Amino acid sequence: MLAISVMNGLVIGVIYALAALGVSLVVGIMNVINFAHGELYILAGYFSFLFASTLGMPFAPAMGLAVALVFLFGLLIERLLIRPTYGNDMYSLILTFILSIVLQNAFLLIFGPYPNKPPLWVRGASEIFGLFSYGNQRLAALVSGAALIALVFLVLQKTWFGRIIRATSQDRAMAEWNGVNTTRLNMLSFGLGCALAAAAGVILSPVFPVTPTAGVPIALTAFVVVVLGGMGSMWGCVVGGLLLGLVENLGAAFISSGYKNVFGFLILILVLLVRPSGLFGRAKL
Amino acid sequence: MKRHGKGMAIGLVLALAFCSAAWAQDTIKIGVVGPRTGPAAATGAAFDEGIKLAVEYVNGKGGVLGKKLEVAFEDTAGAPDKAASGFERLVTRDKVVMVLGESHSSSALAQIEVANRMKIPFIVVEAWADEITAKNYRYVFRAGPSNSGVVNQTIAQWVKAENFKRAFVVAENTDWGIGIGKLTENALAKAGIPYESMITERNSQDHYVELTKIKAFKPDVVLAYIYGVGLHYFVAQAGETGVSPQAVVLDGAGPPSLWPDYWKNVGDYGDLECFVSSMHEKVELTPLAKLFREAYTKKFGKAPTDYKSRSIFDGILIAADAINRAKATDAEKLVEALEKTNLETTRGTAKFGLTPGGPDYHQWMPPMLVIQWQNKQQVVLYPPQAATGKLKR
């Protein structure tokens, strides 16, 4: 029981972290909370389903195309909805909230109420060290999710673009004085945040089918992870996501599965009582 | 010219007002509540289909009290607060004479309070919690399954008939899930069948840990009371973790196993899964059931799958029949007429219980079937007189 709980906690934790990274990136750079984050995850899942299942594309290009389209959609949202609200965080909050409702209803209208999922990359299940049986698609999601998180950190730490992001996150004015076009960076960061939500969506939709309203709990969990890890902290997202995944699964295994979500909120309250700014505070990117 | 224009505008407004008033007088409105959004939005789609067919059927037979029957729908999203306010909106804004529908027990439990307070007859069609009718509210009826009816008449009998040795009960943490789970435990205890049980989070997508606990118990049947997409996750993950096919999984809610994307979501793990349903193409209890199937296939170009389309169809027929017999839309007369209902529907003859003191008051329990997917074909297992095949493991 312990082994599968830990394994499952890690898988779910990586998924949580991936979904939260996009939120954290946008909060860190723009100080904007994107309430439609979960719906962008769902949108990518639907695109992936549409391209792979309906149009018959191989799953990898279908996923890539889905992420690219959501990235472009993110750029459009930033240009049309977020940019005019700079200076007033409340407006962007309300606008993205409205966007989430509009998207939910659009999904319902276009795709209907039934769950949809793209084809599995791998079928069946594997015995893990002879201890338990585990779905191959979940294992694939774990590997690809971890690889994607590693790639995000690599880009942030080792590339010129990453350096600009970190600089702007630390001191926007100073970055501007050094020639960073922060307006364009905002747009790219928002698009990238949406693309991260989309990446989580395409990786997970073969495991957890998408429905019009399934984005709500995803966004909620992502926000919990971001607050748990510390607003704007990318490392906080990873640690927060893994912690949440492990606590939920161990709690369900050894206390009660009916209160799975309560354990997540309990750990959040406990952490915030000890460290009000989250595990990694206002850590630098 | 200007004066002429003004006069014409006033005339047009008056004509429109007159037309809409005349139109309003030509129809009698009833309300339907159900989830068009949320995790069980598919039920709303099934309700929509059933409503279309029922309205055509009733109006084709002369309508109600010589007027056309009209249906106003309120989305409840599976949320009790929305359900209660939606019910109230139907009464105050749409002026409906009766309300029917709902498929979430938590929502229905909120709605019956509104029905009782506003004195509006309410026929619940697919919310199963016993408390809905056990409260013995004068204005509340149920023309559909109840938890105790489904467990005691169908599921527990099937478990005994198949001679299962060890059962595991998994119930979602809702009024319906907790209620039906408890009733199942009582029935299993009474039958002397060893069992264990657990409550699962309604919106959970991940059941691996729970399934590992289930596997350790080594049951030969898992009675899963999980409604909505969650059932798809459960069935697929039961296969991945090796719980099935060692144990037979029964979907105690039914429709999720019949939704169009069931097979896409659960893959091969969906085969040999069992579910409860009140509908099967080879088991038509009345001529009206055959008529419904034909009308449905003609209108929607596919065979009916989600039996809730037929449940709401029956509900509307019962409502229309009561209005016609009451010869009025007055709530008290409608309640009296509903109490005297004796109407052939697609699921048998509807007749409400009149003995107060328990959940059978104002309750009509239609017969339910246990069906198994065998090579993607539905095989009826229970009751024996309706069986089209035997359980495969």
Side-chain angles (χ1 to χ4, degrees):
Chain A
M1 183 57 79
L2 180 68
I4 194 168
S5 303
V6 171
M7 174 79 184
N8 209 43
L10 288 176
V11 172
I12 301 293
V14 164
I15 288 161
Y16 285 168
L18 193 59
L21 277 176
V23 175
S24 193
L25 184 74
V26 174
V27 170
I29 303 284
M30 301 166 68
N31 205 25
V32 165
I33 292 176
N34 178 12
F35 257 112
H37 191 77
E39 279 65 39
L40 295 166
Y41 166 110
I42 298 297
L43 180 63
Y46 275 128
F47 276 146
S48 183
F49 156 75
L50 198 67
F51 300 143
S53 295
T54 313
L55 302 180
M57 281 174 69
F59 73 85
M63 285 166 54
L65 189 57
V67 173
L69 283 174
V70 174
F71 171 72
L72 292 174
F73 187 53
L75 297 184
L76 199 69
I77 296 170
E78 194 281 335
R79 183 66 192 85
L80 298 178
L81 297 179
I82 309 295
R83 197 177 299 179
T85 69
Y86 283 161
N88 193 327
D89 300 341
M90 191 53 77
Y91 282 163
S92 60
L93 204 75
I94 294 167
L95 278 171
T96 54
F97 183 68
I98 294 169
L99 179 66
S100 76
I101 295 169
V102 169
L103 285 174
Q104 280 175 32
N105 284 285
F107 296 154
L108 188 64
L109 204 68
I110 299 165
F111 298 102
Y114 302 106
N116 282 299
K117 76 173 190 180
L120 297 173
W121 314 345
V122 276
R123 291 185 177 277
S126 300
E127 279 294 316
I128 308 293
F129 307 120
L131 293 170
F132 53 85
S133 176
Y134 210 78
N136 289 336
Q137 181 63 43
R138 284 181 177 231
L139 293 170
L142 171 68
V143 172
S144 50
L148 199 62
I149 291 172
L151 183 70
V152 170
F153 276 89
L154 201 70
V155 168
L156 286 174
Q157 298 296 330
K158 302 287 180 190
T159 66
W160 181 244
F161 178 63
R163 193 174 294 173
I164 291 172
I165 285 184
R166 283 185 289 136
T168 311
S169 161
Q170 286 165 21
D171 193 327
R172 173 171 284 267
M174 185 64 84
E176 279 177 355
W177 292 337
N178 280 282
V180 173
N181 183 341
T182 52
T183 308
R184 188 173 294 171
L185 184 71
N186 278 350
M187 196 175 182
L188 275 175
S189 305
F190 195 85
L192 204 59
C194 296
L196 281 170
V202 296
I203 288 173
L204 281 180
S205 50
V207 181
F208 303 126
V210 287
T211 60
T213 50
V216 177
I218 288 158
L220 190 66
T221 310
F223 294 142
V224 168
V225 169
V226 168
V227 176
L228 189 61
M231 295 287 273
S233 164
M234 302 299 262
W235 275 113
C237 273
V238 176
V239 176
L242 289 173
L243 184 66
L244 193 66
L246 285 168
V247 166
E248 278 185 1
N249 277 277
L250 290 169
F254 296 105
I255 303 173
S256 168
S257 50
Y259 301 103
K260 206 171 179 181
N261 290 348
V262 176
F263 301 129
F265 285 106
L266 270 180
I267 197 78
L268 177 70
I269 292 165
L270 284 176
V271 167
L272 291 185
L273 278 175
V274 183
R275 288 185 64 88
S277 55
L279 287 172
F280 287 73
R282 291 183 59 81
K284 297 169 181 69
L285 283 165
Chain B
M1 187 67 194
K2 212 172 179 180
R3 192 178 290 171
H4 270 294
K6 213 177 198 176
M8 275 173 71
I10 293 168
L12 196 65
V13 169
L14 283 173
L16 280 172
F18 178 77
C19 282
S20 61
W23 175 253
Q25 283 168 4
D26 280 345
T27 63
I28 287 178
K29 260 190 195 177
I30 56 170
V32 170
V33 278
R36 265 182 177 156
T37 53
T43 298
F47 275 6
D48 277 329
E49 291 170 347
I51 291 168
K52 279 179 193 151
L53 294 175
V55 170
E56 277 177 19
Y57 181 82
V58 171
N59 288 336
K61 298 252 175 199
V64 282
L65 304 179
K67 296 176 182 177
K68 295 272 182 209
L69 180 74
E70 197 184 338
V71 172
F73 198 113
E74 269 293 325
D75 175 25
T76 61
D81 56 331
K82 282 188 185 173
S85 58
F87 191 109
E88 204 156 338
R89 251 195 314 278
L90 283 170
V91 179
T92 53
R93 184 195 62 196
D94 297 307
K95 312 282 182 214
V96 300
V97 300
M98 200 188 287
V99 179
L100 55 151
E102 199 47 71
S103 75
H104 286 285
S105 291
S106 308
S107 298
L109 285 166
Q111 289 160 339
I112 60 170
E113 300 301 332
V114 184
N116 205 45
R117 176 166 50 82
M118 300 185 90
K119 297 186 173 22
I120 288 289
F122 178 31
I123 309 173
V124 176
V125 299
E126 280 292 349
W128 296 7
D130 278 3
E131 290 79 4
I132 291 166
T133 45
K135 288 199 173 183
N136 284 193
Y137 285 160
R138 173 166 167 72
Y139 299 93
V140 177
F141 293 77
R142 175 163 44 202
S146 66
N147 277 349
S148 52
V150 173
V151 169
N152 298 329
Q153 293 173 28
T154 309
I155 293 177
Q157 301 305 326
W158 171 69
V159 169
K160 279 192 271 183
E162 298 292 356
N163 205 18
F164 287 118
K165 304 285 182 225
R166 287 166 78 81
F168 208 108
V169 182
V170 189
E172 64 172 40
N173 56 348
T174 59
D175 288 295
W176 165 69
I178 292 168
I180 199 164
K182 196 77 206 148
L183 285 162
T184 306
E185 286 180 47
N186 294 343
L188 291 171
K190 207 171 156 189
I193 299 168
Y195 71 91
E196 264 197 24
S197 66
M198 70 165 66
I199 298 291
T200 188
E201 163 59 38
R202 175 195 176 190
N203 294 319
S204 181
Q205 294 187 315
D206 179 50
H207 297 282
Y208 259 57
V209 170
E210 286 119 311
L211 284 159
T212 306
K213 278 185 189 174
I214 294 170
K215 198 177 175 185
F217 182 68
K218 294 191 171 72
D220 51 4
V221 65
V222 178
L223 306 169
Y225 299 112
I226 301 167
Y227 191 63
V229 191
L231 190 273
H232 294 191
Y233 302 139
F234 188 84
V235 171
Q237 291 165 25
E240 287 170 1
T241 51
V243 169
S244 62
Q246 269 71 33
V248 173
V249 176
L250 174 92
D251 161 16
S257 299
L258 294 161
W259 287 350
D261 291 308
Y262 173 77
W263 289 104
K264 206 186 306 160
N265 292 333
V266 303
D268 295 338
Y269 297 125
D271 204 33
L272 302 185
E273 186 238 20
C274 298
F275 57 95
V276 291
S277 174
S278 61
M279 183 164 75
H280 185 272
E281 59 185 352
K282 288 178 185 158
V283 186
E284 306 285 33
L285 292 176
T286 65
L288 194 61
K290 199 163 171 267
L291 194 142
F292 175 87
R293 183 172 295 278
E294 285 165 4
Y296 184 101
T297 311
K298 192 176 165 197
K299 187 155 188 80
F300 303 111
K302 57 180 182 178
T305 50
D306 190 333
Y307 65 80
K308 293 192 175 182
S309 59
R310 219 173 62 166
S311 308
I312 195 78
F313 177 87
D314 283 349
I316 293 174
L317 262 56
I318 293 168
D321 169 66
I323 296 169
N324 278 331
R325 280 186 295 105
K327 294 188 172 52
T329 53
D330 170 65
E332 298 305 322
K333 286 186 176 149
L334 288 176
V335 169
E336 283 169 24
L338 281 168
E339 286 182 336
K340 289 175 190 150
T341 296
N342 189 352
L343 180 75
E344 187 184 276
T345 68
T346 62
R347 296 170 293 173
T349 304
K351 220 172 179 178
F352 294 106
L354 296 174
T355 314
D360 293 336
Y361 179 71
H362 282 187
Q363 163 74 34
W364 171 56
M365 172 75 206
M368 299 293 281
L369 309 165
V370 176
I371 298 173
Q372 185 177 37
W373 283 116
Q374 295 181 4
N375 294 322
K376 298 192 178 177
Q377 297 299 312
Q378 294 180 33
V379 176
V380 180
L381 305 176
Y382 193 86
Q385 62 271 27
T388 59
K390 288 195 179 302
L391 177 75
K392 268 192 185 172
R393 302 195 192 199

